[in-house]
Amino acid sequence: MFQINGEKDSKSKKKAAKSDSDDSEEETKSSKPKKKSTAGSASMFQTSGDKDKDKDKDKDKDKKTKKKAKAEESDDSDSEKEEKSKKKKGKGKKKKERSPSPEIVFDDLEKFVMQPAVQGTTIKCRVTRDQRGVDKSLYPLYYLHLDNEKKTFLLAGRKRKKSATSNYLISIDATDLSRGGENFVGKLRSNLMGTKFTVFDNALNPERALPDLSNARQELAGIIYETNVLGMKGPRRMTVVIPGMDKDNDRVPLRPRNECDGLLLRYQNRRTENLIELRNKTPVWNEETASHVLNFNGRVTQASIKNFQIVHNKDLDYIVMQFGRIADDIFTLDFNYPLCAVQAFAIALSSFDGKIACE
């Protein structure tokens, strides 16, 4: 069971009641690594050929920013420094508030949910689970909304009946979750054990597509849960494999001709060209609460085995996606570049699916 960092800990409550000047100093410190990780996110997720082209550009940018920073420091007079120190003291009197979700406007919902998130912008969402009714207890409905005042609807998902394996349909219409409907945008399919999942878009099966595969479906993600019978190995461990990004920050299309050429088999056979490997961040064991903890920065409030954060091995501070419980049937889902809404929602749906071999 994941315990939220700071929950059920009297010492952490005392820390939260420290002087406001300490809070402002922590905010400035924590903001620095985020800026660095965001700036380097493009090269981190690009394919190998595109990374080399952008290395020189990044070095030049770093040199220019360093020169500018030095010039700005020398220009600050003593009086300006005094004013800045006064402002910092004044900030301490205000209560620390959770940053609101960025304002997001789109004209085409289907296009928006398939596009990678804009770099530097965290898309904050909520997932609600509807289990009311006899049918829905076994096949709940899941809804994804933007976590803003309007609660803008994005996606809906539901587990298909009479399927040999777990199979979820994803739609841009909360009332139309049919496979042949116009609002169908993707699906999530598992293996027999429920330990591996593949995310597809709404295009055709390769067997029914054109010979050049121009209208064949794309594989958007592969999710692998490490086997962990009775939870003997500790918290869940998961790996997420997604297509790489090109120099224009667009997703590299991955259209396998058959299942033997799929994303998961490519990863298994170490054919990782144009692929990105992500993992869930390892939680830290807390001796006092006797539980594993992760810092969700106030976005998650209840302990759950489903709580997780997805990161890249090269930058553990850059949270690609985080998911966690805030009520019995309400969860927060936040994602960043290079994920899109369909990928993030499908990863969340995979965590809801029952996994006998994983816990």
Side-chain angles (χ1 to χ4, degrees):
M1 292 286 289
F2 281 167
Q3 179 66 40
I4 311 307
N5 193 13
E7 291 289 323
K8 299 181 183 179
D9 189 353
S10 59
K11 289 190 176 182
S12 63
K13 290 180 180 178
K14 291 179 182 178
K15 290 180 182 178
K18 278 185 178 181
S19 64
D20 297 322
S21 58
D22 289 341
D23 289 341
S24 61
E25 287 175 6
E26 288 177 5
E27 286 177 5
T28 52
K29 287 178 182 177
S30 62
S31 61
K32 289 179 181 177
K34 286 181 183 177
K35 289 180 181 177
K36 290 180 182 177
S37 60
T38 304
S41 61
S43 59
M44 189 165 62
F45 300 110
Q46 283 177 1
T47 56
S48 57
D50 295 321
K51 287 180 185 176
D52 298 332
K53 294 178 183 178
D54 294 333
K55 279 183 180 178
D56 296 331
K57 293 181 180 178
D58 293 335
K59 287 180 181 178
D60 293 338
K61 286 181 180 178
D62 291 337
K63 288 179 181 178
K64 290 179 181 178
T65 51
K66 286 179 181 178
K67 287 180 181 180
K68 287 181 180 179
K70 288 180 180 179
E72 288 174 359
E73 287 176 4
S74 60
D75 291 337
D76 283 340
S77 62
D78 295 334
S79 60
E80 287 176 340
K81 289 178 181 177
E82 288 177 3
E83 288 178 3
K84 287 180 181 177
S85 63
K86 288 179 182 178
K87 287 180 181 178
K88 285 182 181 178
K89 290 179 182 177
K91 283 181 181 177
K93 295 178 182 178
K94 295 180 180 179
K95 291 183 179 180
K96 190 164 64 174
E97 296 180 356
R98 192 172 69 188
S99 57
S101 299
E103 186 176 350
I104 298 170
V105 180
F106 53 84
D107 297 325
D108 188 337
L109 177 57
E110 183 174 357
K111 184 178 179 181
F112 172 76
V113 297
M114 295 298 294
Q115 282 182 336
V118 177
Q119 288 190 59
T121 301
T122 299
I123 310 297
K124 298 181 180 181
C125 305
R126 278 195 181 190
V127 175
T128 54
R129 177 175 56 187
D130 183 3
Q131 300 184 94
R132 293 170 296 179
V134 178
D135 235 9
K136 291 180 183 177
S137 61
L138 295 174
Y139 304 96
L141 285 169
Y142 300 93
Y143 303 103
L144 181 71
H145 294 80
L146 287 177
D147 194 4
N148 54 19
E149 292 182 0
K150 297 180 180 178
K151 305 297 179 189
T152 308
F153 170 80
L154 294 180
L155 294 166
R158 188 175 189 178
K159 192 174 184 178
R160 296 180 70 184
K161 302 175 184 178
K162 300 179 182 179
S163 294
T165 61
S166 294
N167 200 320
Y168 293 80
L169 285 178
I170 301 173
S171 172
I172 54 172
D173 189 328
T175 60
D176 180 14
L177 285 158
S178 60
R179 177 68 177 82
E182 295 180 355
N183 301 299
F184 166 67
V185 291
K187 73 173 183 177
L188 172 73
R189 188 180 68 192
S190 78
N191 63 352
L192 287 172
M193 292 288 290
T195 56
K196 296 180 181 180
F197 295 79
T198 305
V199 185
F200 303 92
D201 67 3
N202 61 353
L204 295 176
N205 187 302
E207 296 177 359
R208 300 194 297 272
L210 296 173
D212 62 355
L213 300 180
S214 58
N215 62 342
R217 68 187 180 193
Q218 293 186 45
E219 291 192 5
L220 302 177
I223 307 134
I224 305 166
Y225 289 88
E226 185 177 320
T227 54
N228 185 12
V229 180
L230 300 178
M232 298 297 290
K233 296 181 182 179
R236 280 183 180 179
R237 297 180 184 177
M238 60 190 295
T239 301
V240 177
V241 185
I242 60 174
M245 311 299 288
D246 60 23
K247 61 182 179 180
D248 297 320
N249 298 326
D250 292 325
R251 189 168 46 247
V252 177
L254 179 62
R255 295 185 175 93
R257 290 187 175 275
N258 49 57
E259 292 185 357
C260 297
D261 191 35
L263 191 152
L264 289 174
L265 275 177
R266 289 190 188 188
Y267 175 75
Q268 181 181 326
N269 297 328
R270 298 182 179 179
R271 294 165 52 203
T272 56
E273 183 182 0
N274 294 335
L275 298 183
I276 300 170
E277 179 185 352
L278 306 171
R279 294 184 181 274
N280 68 309
K281 193 171 186 178
T282 306
V284 179
W285 177 257
N286 188 313
E287 292 287 349
E288 296 182 8
T289 60
S291 59
H292 291 89
V293 297
L294 280 171
N295 184 10
F296 290 89
N297 294 312
R299 293 287 293 163
V300 177
T301 57
Q302 292 190 9
S304 173
I305 194 173
K306 296 178 176 64
N307 299 347
F308 64 83
Q309 290 178 329
I310 300 295
V311 295
H312 194 288
N313 286 336
K314 291 185 178 179
D315 189 350
L316 300 181
D317 292 323
Y318 182 79
I319 307 299
V320 180
M321 173 184 169
Q322 69 177 19
F323 178 78
R325 186 193 297 272
I326 59 174
D328 288 345
D329 289 308
I330 305 175
F331 304 78
T332 55
L333 189 162
D334 303 340
F335 65 94
N336 285 286
Y337 173 90
L339 290 185
C340 68
V342 170
Q343 288 172 314
F345 187 49
I347 294 169
L349 289 176
S350 75
S351 73
F352 286 112
D353 198 64
K355 304 168 189 61
I356 299 174
C358 297
E359 55 218 28

